[in-house]
Amino acid sequence: MSKDLSPSAKKQLAARVSYYREMGIYDFYRRPSDEGVQIPLAAAPEPAHEVTDASPLPVIQDKPSALKAIREDIGDCTRCRLHKGRKNIVFGVGNMNADLMFVGEGPGADEDEQGEPFVGRAGQLLNNMISAMGLKREDVYIANVVKCRPPGNRTPEKDECDICSPFLLRQIETIQPKVIVALGAVAAKNLLAMNDSMANLRGRWYDFRGSKLAVTYHPAYLLRDPRQKKETWKKYLGLKPPPKSAEE
Ligand code: SF4
């Protein structure tokens, strides 16, 4: 650790390194910076890990820079096979100070084309879901587990999720939403590191690194089976608000 760092910056840096180690990320490089503190960044994402705890995260003051750094780390990524068919990397979009964050599994054709998550028919359905919650799309942040479109819209493989999800975790760490909604089984299982049925995963709150997390169906599933739509609204909106601690 550099001798030039102040004691408080050293403490902040140590907390960040410890956080990444908990995430299973051990390799770091230092970004050249003309600002005082250099933040360690993961060079090589490691496989997914247990992420379900209520530990508060170090507060990130400069969210635009932190998100920019994550996007720069992704770069023109070829870390997994999904890079082969993509047109655009779909990073994430929305309010970086959002209290509510939606996490989907990966981009579809429309998202790949436009470089933005949830813009197709599934996006319209998500927008309806957001409206039904009394919010606007601009109020929330939206991202996916994998940033590149799986061929033929297949479900992303476990190794692809494992390689890409550390970027999502860093986005969550930066946004620090009060509530995360995992849209569908892939998002839920990757975030919670639990391999359970949607029926069991839905309808309750999970502690997730200082946020509350709820699981609901992916909008694409609702499009395929509209009977689920009513149930989702009822089920999701019927959830009791998260405990007080998540709202502080
Ligand atoms: Fe890289 Fe993620 Fe795209 Fe795979 S899905 S190539 S890890 S950005």
Side-chain angles (χ1 to χ4, degrees):
M1 209 173 280
S2 167
K3 287 177 191 164
D4 299 326
L5 292 177
S6 68
S8 71
K10 279 185 187 172
K11 203 169 158 195
Q12 192 186 11
L13 187 54
R16 183 68 62 86
V17 170
S18 158
Y19 168 64
Y20 282 126
R21 288 204 168 129
E22 268 182 58
M23 288 171 60
I25 296 170
Y26 295 93
D27 300 325
F28 303 96
Y29 66 85
R30 294 184 67 183
R31 175 182 302 283
S33 168
D34 40 27
E35 291 168 16
V37 179
Q38 294 174 320
I39 297 173
L41 297 164
E46 292 289 319
H49 39 78
E50 178 59 53
V51 290
T52 52
D53 71 47
S55 317
L57 297 174
V59 176
I60 292 184
Q61 305 291 355
D62 187 353
K63 292 187 181 186
S65 297
L67 288 173
K68 188 162 168 265
I70 300 166
R71 181 62 189 88
E72 284 173 4
D73 283 349
I74 294 174
D76 191 18
C77 185
T78 56
R79 291 171 177 88
C80 85
R81 65 184 82 81
L82 293 183
H83 79 278
K84 289 180 189 162
R86 72 158 182 250
K87 286 187 184 156
N88 286 296
I89 289 174
V90 180
F91 178 67
V93 72
N95 185 337
M96 63 185 77
N97 296 309
D99 287 339
L100 177 60
M101 179 165 174
F102 287 94
V103 176
E105 69 178 50
D110 294 314
E111 291 77 17
D112 182 45
E113 196 68 50
Q114 296 181 42
E116 184 173 324
F118 288 97
V119 289
R121 290 182 67 211
Q124 189 54 54
L125 206 50
L126 177 62
N127 292 347
N128 294 346
M129 190 187 285
I130 293 167
S131 301
M133 296 164 78
L135 296 168
K136 297 192 196 105
R137 187 175 164 102
E138 312 85 81
D139 296 330
V140 307
Y141 195 86
I142 308 168
N144 285 313
V145 174
V146 295
K147 312 296 187 204
C148 301
R149 182 192 179 198
N153 290 347
R154 68 160 168 77
T155 302
E157 305 281 350
K158 184 178 181 307
D159 64 320
E160 294 158 356
C161 294
D162 287 350
I163 293 168
C164 204
S165 60
F167 297 120
L168 170 67
L169 295 175
R170 287 172 59 193
Q171 287 172 293
I172 293 171
E173 176 207 353
T174 303
I175 307 289
Q176 298 198 357
K178 287 180 182 163
V179 172
I180 297 166
V181 177
L183 296 164
V186 170
K189 290 177 185 179
N190 273 280
L191 289 172
L192 295 170
M194 289 166 74
N195 193 14
D196 209 340
S197 68
M198 280 296 284
N200 287 339
L201 290 170
R202 286 186 312 133
R204 56 188 152 122
W205 291 105
Y206 300 86
D207 287 322
F208 184 86
R209 294 186 172 268
S211 300
K212 291 289 169 187
L213 186 148
V215 173
T216 191
Y217 288 114
H218 192 283
Y221 175 80
L222 303 179
L223 284 171
R224 286 196 290 272
D225 186 358
R227 285 170 305 170
Q228 296 291 347
K229 192 172 162 182
K230 193 172 163 199
E231 191 196 343
T232 298
W233 294 159
K234 201 169 121 234
K235 197 81 174 167
Y236 183 72
L237 297 173
L239 275 170
K240 290 195 182 110
K244 260 271 185 275
S245 61
E247 297 173 342
E248 285 162 4

